[in-house]
């Protein structure tokens, strides 16, 4: 399994960075199977533009509202998936069927207050299943129910420098998985805190 999760803080300014990263692999087999982007601040056309540049499928997206939010999931061609749902400008869900591994992937852009996070949490909880990964810029968002574990801590490596601002920015949560390794990427540009990409 290979999933890139990245809060781009505006996709338009990161099109070149993402295209160069994906095309830097020696073979298609080495490329991430899934690319999830939060805070794209874009509509469907911008998301389709990136899909063409990197030769991936745009599996699901929730467009930005004005200049706020926007999330998108891109899938490498040949990877089996099913679209499940999208929520406002803050979340989207697919089922992935990888080699000997099937699970639900929920990408979210959480908020800082209950007015945003309560309905988002209700939506996520209504779709979460036994094997689920939640990734993205969670901010103060947390899902309802039991069984969620912090992906950083489950890896045994502890949180990297991207883990939190005020203890609130877990980058991925797991249900039904005991351990997933991660790698923090820098992609040749400076960034702040949770805005560095993470490869699961």
């Amino acid at each position: 399994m290979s999933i890139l999760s990245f809060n781009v803080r505006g996709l338009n300014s990161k099109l070149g960075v993402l295209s160069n990263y994906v095309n830097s692999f020696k073979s298609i087999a080495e490329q991430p199977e899934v690319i999830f982007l939060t805070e794209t601040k874009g509509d469907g056309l911008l998301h389709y533009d990136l899909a063409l540049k990197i030769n991936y499928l745009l599996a699901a997206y929730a467009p930005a509202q004005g200049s706020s939010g926007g999330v998108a999931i891109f899938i490498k061609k040949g990877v089996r998936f099913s679209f499940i749902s999208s929520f406002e400008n803050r979340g989207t869900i697919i089922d992935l069927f990888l080699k000997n591994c099937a699970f639900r992937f929920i990408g979210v852009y959480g908020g800082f207050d209950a007015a945003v996070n309560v309905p988002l949490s209700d939506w996520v909880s209504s779709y979460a299943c036994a094997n689920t990964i939640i990734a993205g810029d969670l901010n103060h968002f947390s899902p309802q129910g039991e069984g969620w574990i912090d992906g950083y801590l489950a890896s045994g490596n502890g949180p990297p420098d991207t883990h939190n601002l005020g203890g609130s920015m877990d980058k991925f949560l797991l249900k039904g998985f005991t351990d997933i390794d991660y790698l923090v990427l820098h992609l040749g540009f400076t960034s702040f805190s949770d805005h560095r990409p993470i490869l699961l």
Side-chain angles (χ1 to χ4, degrees), residues 92-148:
T92 192
I93 301 173
I94 61 170
D95 282 343
L96 282 162
F97 308 95
L98 305 176
K99 299 171 194 165
N100 302 319
C101 181
F103 62 95
R104 182 154 289 176
F105 179 83
I106 303 177
V108 300
Y109 173 50
F112 288 97
D113 58 56
V116 168
N117 288 326
V118 169
L120 181 60
S121 182
D122 289 344
W123 173 75
V124 166
S125 297
S126 69
Y127 285 102
C129 61
N131 295 317
T132 301
I133 296 175
I134 298 176
D137 189 355
L138 277 62
N139 292 316
H140 291 183
F141 166 83
S142 62
Q144 300 172 9
E146 298 179 355
W148 294 104

